[in-house]
Amino acid sequence: MDNRIALDPKNSIVVEACAGSGKTWLLVSRIVRLLLAGVAPGEILAITFTRKAAQEMQARLHDWLHLLASADDETVRNFLRERALADVDVQTFARARGLYRDFLLSSSSITISTFHGWFMQIIQRAPLNADVPVGLQLLERTSALREEAWDALADSLRAAPEGELAQQMQWLLNAIGLHNTRALLENFLSKRAEWWAYTLGREDAVAWALEELRSELQVDEDEDPLGALLEEDFDLTVQAFASLLQSGTEAQQKLAKSLDDARAQQELQARFDALFDVLHTGKGEPRKLKANKGQDAEHYANLFAGILEVLHHMQDALAERAALRLNQAGLRCGVAFLQHYQQLKLRQQLMDFTDVEWQVARLLKQSDSAEYMQYKLDSRYKHVLLDEFQDTNPLQWQILQAWFEASVAAEARPKIFVVGDPKQSIYRFRRADSRLFGEVSQFLQHEFDAHFLSQNETRRNAPAVLDAVNGVFASHPEGFVDFEIHIAHHKNLPGHVEVLPLAMHEASAAATAGEEKLRLRNPLIEARGEDESGARELEAAQFAAHIAAIVATWTVLDADGTQRRASWGDIMVLVRKRTHLRVYEAALRTHNIPFITSRRGGLLDTLEAEDIQALLAFLITPFADLQLAQTLRSPMFSCSDEDLVQLAQDAEEGSWWTRLQRCADTGSAALQRAHHLLQDWLQRADKLPVHDLLDHIYFSADVPQRYAAVVPEVMRATVHANLQAFMEIALDVDGGRYPSLPRFLAELRELRAAENESPDEGRVGEVGNALRIYTVHEAKGLEAPIVWLLDANDTRSVADSYGVLLDWPTNNPRPAHFSLYSTQSAHGKQRLPLFEAEQDYARREGMNLLYVAITRARQALIVSGNGKNAETEQQNKILSWYDRIAQLQIPCGNPLLQDNSEATPIKSHAAAEVNAALQRPFPTGKRSDNVTLEQRRGTWLHALLQHLTTFGVIADQVVLQAQCGIPLDEMGALWRQAQQLLAQPALQRFFDAQHYLSAANEMPYVNARGELKRIDRLVEFENEVWVLDYKTGATPDRAPYRAQMSEYRSAMQSIYAGKAVRCALVFADGTLSEI
Amino acid sequence: MHTAAAVFFDSVAAAILARHARELPDLRRVVVLLPNYHVAQPLAQHLARAAQLPAVLLPQLITLNDWAQSVALTQSVTPDSCRATILYQALRARNWFPDADLWGIAAELLSLLDELTRHHVPLPQSEEDFLAQLERAYQAKRNTAMQFEARVVHELWYAMNASGELDAARAMQQRLAQLALQAKAPLYVLLASDLARPERRFLQAYGERAEVTIFDLREMAVREPACAVVYAALGQLDRGNIKQGWGENVDDVHAPAMQLREQAAQLREHFPRSALGQRLRLFAAHGLEQEARAAEVQVRRWLLAGKSSIAIVAQDRLAARRVRALLERAQVQVRDETGWTLSTMAVTTVLMRWLDALQSDFYYQDLLDLLKSPYIFSDSEQGCRKQLVYQLEQLVRKRGVVAHLDTFVEMADAEDQALNAPLARLRQAADLLRKKSDTLAGWLAALHNSLEILGVLPGLAADAAGEQLLGALHTWQQELAADATRFSRGEWRHWLALQLDAETFRDLSIDSPVLITHLAATRWRSFDAVLLLGCDAAHLPSADKKAVWFNDAVRDTLGLPVAAVHRAQQRDDLLALFALNDSVLATWQASRAGEENLLSPYLEMLRGLHTQAYDDDLAETELAGMLDGAQVRTAPGTMPRAAAMPAPSVQASLVPQRISASGYNSLVACPYQYFARHVLHLNELDEVREGIEKRDYGEWVHGILHRFHEEFSLLKEHHRAELEAGLHRISAEVFAQAVARDYWARAWLLRWQQSIPAYIAAQLQGEAAGWRYQSGEVEFELPLEEGLQMKGRIDRIDVQAEAASVVKVLDYKMQDANKLRSKLKQAGEDVQLPFYAHVFEATEAAFVSIEKDQVLAVEPPQDVEQLSAANIARLKNIFALMRSAAPLPANGIDAVCGYCEMRGLCRKAEWK
Ligand code: SF4
């Protein structure tokens, strides 16, 4: 590929680049080139697929700019040369040097973001009257709200159980059951952007969509599809066929009889079913009925074919009708469900990703608002860079297109740079469409004069791994047509591919032992064998054992070329779906292998997180005995079973907590400790925010250390990280509005229930050296020295049985087809091409997945599978991933397997020596004692006096009250008190301006020691100066104030050298007491 | 006094004293404007030191805001709460935003109008002119969206100004104008960053009558060698279009065109040793926890080193919260100057939960959550309140009551009268808020009264934040007393939520050398040490809230501050902080959840330059290694031992005396599970079920079938149609209640109805084979041996028509036949059928699998009599073993453990 073209800021570019070819390098290089060409950061928009990728890009960019600023001239020239800038002039060179600073300190900032992030930015710039909530919030987890919408739908149905909607619902429930109805409607909901696009501008969307569908399916509702059964011709044909059979073999005669019986059925549907069943096998295929010798073979065949044709025609017509019926009910209910969902969000000013996307698309398609949003955004993009373009969906592309068009209107058509790889398109379930890549590539070449480039050299994989890639894909299996042979950049990187034999389950001997004498297992003595342990369990055991061996005996090469021992962290395990992860995880646990699982909700399901949840639940429901028992047994308290028995045995009964309280003095040390701590926590649970409570719990019960003591060594890091992650959830929740412990627990329950929510979210918790398990989808953009493909011979795909059939040609503004389907009814003929296209596409995506999976491996690829489905696969003749790799010629020998005792072990960071004082509490700071009301009244009075004497007596009471922060019910009394005080004859000379030369309130001065002091009121007379100090207490005990007053006196004396300085206390009751 | 800051204060003090030497010791005539009052103390000190007198009467040390407030106005100021309602009304009347949240829009508008006022932006008289102005600023052709924006702002601006009322922004303006008019005193200003336009105007006006002197920290610091690197890196301020009147004095180290390498070389030349290296370190943390730990340990190290004023500048609030908690472990209390919005505090939770409960008609979760708040019923004893809540909760769980106050009341009447009183209070309080509409003040009054009835007031009053909340409610009520606009409960609630979001609570009752504060509050302050927390690119500079109106270009043309101003401000604050403090640790999360996270661009720049000049990247290297060792721990008791499989043995006296089929099943599946369930008698709490679950379905079908067979004991005597009709009728009756309550119950009914024909067919087939229904739902209790009874309830018993002694026990299962078959495959692993067979001396036994349109009898593959005998023998054997203290191991298989509620007790995950 020619970087001179690709990186030239003047060009628009489309790059198709294979896995590991350095797309990030290319993209960031392009950004550097743009900056060098004088493009302002704010004029650049780069869109990537994940936040993680965006962050990486940012970091890379900073690193490079830093390098440009700091490295020696030669390095910089090299850097530029690699990016197709040979022989730069002095000016450009200087520019390159200065980019770092300009970029960091510029107030115009680059946008490197995901689509979602960018859309959020745009939508916040929507026109005010665009029906987009002001200050909208993004709803990231939708399941709770969908649940609520579902309930709302039920309520509305219940309110009108005979209404039209309810009838449609009743139909659905009857036809496909509650579970599938929900699945169908949820799928409709998740395709709502397509639905809106499909029905945009239609008044009655459902009616219109149904009318469209009716004509597509060619359903004529006035006509009975079974009408042909009544036609004489047909009946005669059947009759003729029956009589022909009658003349034949016994089997034929039997058929003839059945045919006659069928013909006799009165009801048409029954007659059709009977006829159909007679002539078809159980699987619905036509029976192979051959004519006998002696029967007119041709006549026989004609008759049979004639009947079949009519029947099949009817069958199709029925199927189309059933499909239409499903849509009638499904769309109607789906739209109702959708309405509830949208309403709920609107009420809370929320939008989810789909809404945002749709709204952005909607607004950008209106030229007025599109323009408005363009200029309202503070940056105007002159360069748009799109990463991982194959994962874009049609709506997103439309948004981009609309944006480009609007930019043209704003006279600034951007340059576009697109990188992608249709081979890695695996996000169909998120509505991505890899065909878009081709379309867009065409479009850009046409409209933007874009150059098309492709790159098949990879910097990631070892040649051995690449051989496997080329071996599997060179033949373009399953429509993988865009594959070209990949070339390795690192030709000498040692690599290894290994296909383990399929784990096969041998029928155990025990199964046949049924005949023997009945022998029942005694569970106290003998554990039940994990008898279902079949092939998968075997595979898992193999897997774990092999992993242990790898870490013991393999070496890997670091990016900088150092050879070191393989560690758990070098291994990435890939599965297609999470279904069976538990089995493999169990095997890893048995081998004490630390790992991070990708199982959703993993954190909250771990034992340690459950312990904490049980504890918190106990703290708000102290009668939750089981939760208490779990807490007691957990490492927090490590109570024994005997302890539990003691509690269970308590004669007085009552909740376990009351029992525990009773044995506060008699129980074991563990019980006593538990009682003591729980008592304390119950007190605090009331008022402390969740995080603070949790922190106190962790600390006071020494939680992390105690867990560490209990769990096996290899699990320690994970458990520790999980405990920490739990704390962070609490921290997060505490930042929210109106927190409470019950609400927190309710949210955790929601989180646990909501599987598959917000797939972009990062995993909670970080663990150092642990094996990682991902789905292939999650592994996108990642790599590892060693990759293991588990369960690779499973070909079953998890197609939705109830969903939306969609045809959205990539260049269309709206879908061409939108309908619901179910497996319950046959798919019919009319939609068949669409279903088939879907299937082809799914198979192709399966290949994409495999491509992504294999190309994650830098040095080693290991593949395993189990024999469970071998048979079915044989029948379906589907090649599994396992088969495809196993077929290859794989060279023997493993270059990674070598004596690794010499290799550098992974370094662990050395613990520094710590000052022992850091391990002890260091009491610091204190809470001032609660101010009594009396003291506060003093302060208020003080403030009042201050005001009254500064501004005179006419001040507005209400304003004054607010300014001094005096509660309403206090004001009256204080006001009177202040007035009284000021009116005291004895004090007149201090407050009435006629009597003195000058007076000051709150008079600050500083003494020689630098201490800042304030005098409540300083009054200056002809010959003397008075220092007044207001005192709130009623006791005229002057002793405590002497020192203070003498400090005042001496300070003032130094200032008013010629006057007498007199000091006095003024008490609330008006007493003046001179000191 | 810290050396770093002393230089600056010295020169300020010297300058003031030099000008006013003759007035000493009385400087009261002079005014010094401070950025905040923390500065007063050091300034006074330096004045004293410079004056060398026993006492000096200080200048007026005041912030501009307070100074302005001291000016009295003749007209009273309209509170913002009132203006918001006026604006709300105006918006409502115009119906521009039909479905929108008008309070949100009103708030946004109000802040725009205030900004316009504050910055003296005149809007043109005609809307057309304004539109033209926007058009130019946006550099775009006008269109409807722009027209609309112009219209909204223009029209409401004039509408709001027409009233002639005085708002806070205007009042401030008048006050400043008056101050400037009366200017006499020489004025000194301490500055760390650019002045906003209103202040600048004021100083200019003031300066026309009296002398104004400005101490700009940036100019002063630029000349300090210690600040050289910092200024070299960040000092070249691109103030962009904001003009700055106080001449910039930039020396050549800070030339804009200079490149990093040259700059570094010059620095090294001028200052061979880095002063900054001593002052600033950067700590890159992996994740929040490490950052918080590092911060906490560093603060304690400083304390140990005797530092007596330590600031934690919290760019990241979450991290700060975490740090505070960690410090409290070491008994280090922290003074928090930043505070929390009321809406995130427990005191407002009780209030909002109360409104939630009203809204949801006392949905049980809202209700319980409300009642668990320590603030409710705080007029009675707390233990007593808790006791009542738990009683209520137990009852709610038992009865499965989901909502409706009436239902709770009925339940209490019937079962627990102690609950009557609290529920009555709830009702009484609820009645106060059951109205369609009211004024805001009216709603607030009703709320107050309802809180009084609920005993919330004393609880809140006893808490500082609660007190502030009450005060705020009260103030709003007063302010709005005259407003007659009526609002629905929803509108009011929304209003309230916004108000609570805007109110900040600060707990200033803690006195400590360690304090949390924000960057802007550190202006001109110096500390013994500063911890800058959360210095990643996302938090430093922090993003300002994007206003809804206009964009930066328009704001700039109008004369409103733009984002660059906000950023410049923070950069200046940061510069000042480095100038004034000689011990700073900045921390950030270099990675979070496996994602890279960038350092603040300012610090990155600084680091870049420093590395280049001194080959020191400022990284803090000691801390990471000491985090583990530097934890404060509670006196560790004896550590627990490593986990192992539990296998408790039970004293003979505690061995259960009765066993059911499911108990036996549990015993077989996992003896420990049996131990937990039947020796410890632990159960899961009842949960309030809101939807219908499969087990409800199972129960209903059991009920239906029982009634059906009682009514039609011999099916073949009836017509098929009659049977079906009968079964349908009974089904409808059994489901009736559920259907009335929950729409989806219909779905379950339909599901069952689909099984009806198959069920009847299967039953007829059974009859044809000679089986007769004998009885259903039979409870039994049967002594098995000394000290052990079998007990339970069987779904159904059939006998042979010809030989009534030939018995078959049946159990209905709403499960697919294959699953049941595999359950029965291995003898002795599912004991339900043999258990029943023994009790009823049956020779046959079967599960009846009912699933969709299939109903099948599934029988054990073994001989039932033998099987049953063997099972019973084993049962006796196990019990004998138990009585002789045999251990009960936790040996369930994974399939069992997956659904076992005792997994937290046996702790398999820890030892497996
Ligand atoms: S989790 Fe498994 S081992 Fe533990 S008690 Fe339950 S069944 Fe037994």
Side-chain angles (χ1 to χ4, degrees), chain A residues 62 70 94 101 174 368 375-376 378 521 611 621 641 691 702 737-738 918-919 922 926-928, chain B residues 144 232 259 261 300 322 330 343 393 501 509 511 548 551-552 604 612 629 633 672 754 874 907:
Chain A
H62 283 218
S70 61
R101 166 184 228 110
N174 220 343
D368 248 16
Y375 58 66
K376 186 122 186 196
D378 286 312
R521 176 178 66 89
D611 289 343
T621 31
D641 290 310
H691 160 262
D702 216 9
R737 293 193 176 89
Y738 318 124
L918 280 172
Q919 294 162 346
F922 190 85
K926 61 172 200 297
R927 187 174 285 279
S928 51
Chain B
T144 49
Q259 288 172 356
R261 286 165 63 90
R300 288 193 292 121
R322 187 83 199 105
S343 61
E393 179 164 1
D501 270 346
S509 67
D511 206 8
V548 175
N551 68 1
D552 255 14
E604 190 179 332
Q612 195 75 20
R633 282 174 63 185
Y672 188 89
Q754 286 176 345
R874 176 176 63 167
R907 317 214 47 88

Side-chain angles (χ1 to χ4, degrees), chain A residues 14 397 416 418 440-450:
Chain A
V14 177
W397 170 237
I416 300 172
V418 168
V440 170
S441 164
Q442 290 297 325
F443 173 87
L444 291 177
Q445 291 177 49
H446 233 247
E447 301 286 320
F448 285 73
D449 293 326

Side-chain angles (χ1 to χ4, degrees), chain B residues 860-871:
Chain B
Q862 304 84 359
D863 175 73
V864 170
E865 265 183 296
Q866 276 180 27
L867 186 66
S868 145
N871 268 297

Side-chain angles (χ1 to χ4, degrees), chain A residues 193-269:
Chain A
E194 286 76 0
W195 168 251
W196 288 325
Y198 184 62
T199 57
L200 187 65
R202 308 292 167 184
E203 214 151 90
D204 183 343
V206 176
W208 176 81
L210 286 174
E211 208 36 66
E212 288 288 289
L213 187 61
R214 188 192 315 278
S215 76
E216 275 181 71
L217 299 180
Q218 302 178 4
V219 172
D220 179 354
E221 280 181 327
D222 296 333
E223 196 182 290
D224 186 350
L226 298 175
L229 290 177
L230 293 172
E231 278 166 26
E232 210 174 342
D233 271 5
F234 177 72
D235 198 46
L236 285 174
T237 320
V238 179
Q239 212 178 342
F241 189 52
S243 55
L244 195 60
L245 288 170
Q246 198 65 53
S247 68
T249 60
E250 207 170 305
Q252 286 185 333
Q253 284 171 16
K254 232 169 111 189
L255 269 179
K257 165 88 172 61
S258 309
L259 275 181
D260 284 334
D261 287 349
R263 276 179 55 229
Q265 290 278 359
Q266 277 307 305
E267 218 223 331
L268 284 185
Q269 182 70 47

Side-chain angles (χ1 to χ4, degrees), chain B residues 669-673 889-893 896-897 900-903 906-908 911:
Chain B
C670 172
Y672 188 89
Q673 185 190 61
N891 62 9
I893 57 171
V896 175
C897 300
C900 176
E901 78 282 14
M902 302 302 170
R903 61 181 178 276
C906 77
R907 317 214 47 88
K908 185 175 178 181
W911 43 261

